[in-house]
Amino acid sequence: MSRPTERKKSWFERLCSCCASSRRDDPAEDYAPGGDRRVDRPGDRPGDRPSDRPGDKPEDRPGDRPGDRPVDGAGDKPISGGGSNLENLPSGGSRDGALQVQSVDLLKQRTGETRKAHHTDEFEYEDLIVRRGQPFQICVTFQRAVTKSDQICVLLQIGNSQPVTLPMVREFDQGNWGCQIAEASGQKATLWLNTSAQAPVGKYQLYVKTQSPGGSYTQPADPKLKLYVLFNAWCRMDPVFMDNESWRQEYVLNEIGRIYYGTEHQIGERSWSYGQFDRGILDAVLFLLDRAGLSPSARGDPISVTRAISAMVNSMDDNGVVAGSWAGEYADGVNPVAWVGSVDILLRYHQTGVPVKYGQCWVFAGVTTTVLRCLGIPGRTITNFASAHDTDGNLTFDVYFDENMKPIEEKNSDSVWNYHVWNDCWMTRPDLPAGYSGWQAIDATPQETSNGIYCCGPSPVLAIKNGLVNIKYDTPFIVAEVNSDKVFYQRMPNGQFKKVHVEERAVGHHISTKAVGSNAREDITYLYKHPEGSAEERNAVRTASQYSGKPLAVVDVEETSDVTLSIETQDGVIMGNDVNVRVTLKNGSSSRRSVSLSMSVAVMYYNGVCKDSFKQEACEVSFHPGEAKSVGMQITYNEYRTQLVDQGAMMLTVSGSVKESGQKLAKQHTFRTRTPDLIIKVHGDPIFGQQIKAEIIFQNPLQTTLHNAAFHVEGPGLQRPKIVPVGDIGPLKTVSITENFTPRRPGPGQLLASLESNELNQVHGTTEFIVRAS
């Protein structure tokens, strides 16, 4: 059977819908009937698309919704009639001399066609910013008229590397360097340029060269002829291509996100200003890549770039962006909970070259999202609740008790963080077997080294889900974070330890990210692990154990386990109030049971490190067959207020034994008190370029004075990062400040603020509004 004649799309037909409308006045080319050409791209080959959640509807997957499949810039044919378009020009000869450049217009205006077509018009830069693999125009004016005998060539050079010559072509080859003359008349020539879809990202110098019968000419370096080249999620030939426009709008272009914190039972959220388009951020991000020592060739590979980002966002090893601290003392820097965005952090780092103090996991992750999106790599911020930190690499979280089932603090080096925040980034993985493209986990929080450096990832989320710890990079560590078993050991009289309980559902809950197109929390646990307790989930744990050479944890001796234990705490208790805890025991046997119970409470840092317990209680509980009994504990504010650390989390450890059967009981439960929110009110109608006022209001919930209080205020396109000191705030007192700001861009806007003080932190607020163009 003969193959139908293929129909090639014109350039404006291949642009995404938001750009195509501006090109409808271009003459369309005539085509023979037949189907459109289909580009074989990463993700189209069998096994390259990551597995979807069982039961997902097709419309819930990227690229499968009607209208979501984009068309890409790579391979576009912007003109017809070949690559020179010089046929109608006058003849020239050597008497005309060399064709010298008078000026070059990069057509770089933020409101111009190039910046809009390349989705870079939001950058607060007056420079040309393009995405690789997608054509763009420049206009060259020469000192004499252009003739048929003249040859024009464009070179691009990044740093001190060898310049790349853009060859003159009759039709752009998809994803490759190329140049075409769109139009030449008199002394002016309009050129189409195309960068490779694998081009190094960064800042380039542009040169124009000519060759004529009268001689050759090379344009001197002109600092005005600089352009930035970024990754391109709209280009099918780019490894970061994402086949879903709503996802691209969220994961590349959205400047505001939500970061989730707290505990699995009490999830809190805060807004974060990524600010990837703010003035100075792109240069700060490229400075980070310079400090990483990435070669130009490595800067074209998203695997190498994201691995470098995960290393450089923290200050370990390389004096990277943010210095981490979990000590609770931040006098020589900023308390990590006070940051409201990445802009202030990245600008400080670029200006000083010194790590910014201080950060914790959500700060590292927020800055990482900014860097990813600024460079054009789709990225998002991920929170994992009850996140294990496996310090010894055995893929289990181990808790040790003495003979009386009381915790042995000095042996408990593994920890379960209340929550941990890292990042997903989107790319193909040609370095791995088919099937591992898509979302990759990277983690910039310095916890454990990878090949001797504090970095983590990129690790395919699908490999994490299936326990394939042999798949690079750093998959074992992330598997342990989301799906390790919690193993309880008791010390025997001979000093040896025996496994007395294995909790299979202790870690990896409510893995969360901001939903696409809304501020809702999206639970993506299903991407990282199979349903808890399912055969697939247990098989993933077993697979991880087999690959790592570590045996699967099982209880050494089978024993009667007919008494169950559960813990409940009040939700939404505002700091300053008492907290009530309830421990419930249920007798599932046909006989009477007696339980000796021990309860202790300790304040803990969010990373799972506990202080010494500040309250202990013990009791005896007896109950009939099938009966359930509850034991209450009240923790007063006076008991915990002097113990609190940042974010006010506490851990209740309950342990005991059943007299009749010898069954051991052990469970740990984390809970927190809430802090109040800031109230932000915008007065008046926000209009682009016109000053407006915002009022920020806070009421102290405590019966104590807050010392050295200050507000941190920020908003992408609205307010540059600012700190406003307010001094001391008395007990139960209300304070308000008024800030003036001038919106720098029309469209949706958010203003964010936080409160920092010696006694109270983790206080945030945000307000959303629309900035009118006029």
Side-chain angles (χ1 to χ4, degrees), residues 498-500 554-561 661:
K498 182 181 77 169
K499 297 187 188 76
V500 294
V554 293
V555 175
D556 290 344
V557 180
E558 291 295 328
E559 58 182 26
T560 304
S561 301
S661 65

Side-chain angles (χ1 to χ4, degrees), residues 316-327:
M316 302 292 285
D317 309 314
D318 44 30
N319 289 317
V321 181
V322 181
S325 177
W326 289 263

Side-chain angles (χ1 to χ4, degrees), residues 515-538:
V516 173
S518 78
N519 290 328
R521 182 181 67 86
E522 181 181 2
D523 193 311
I524 59 168
T525 308
Y526 69 93
L527 291 178
Y528 272 88
K529 59 195 299 188
H530 296 282
E532 287 282 11
S534 66
E536 294 85 355
E537 185 266 339
R538 286 290 89 196

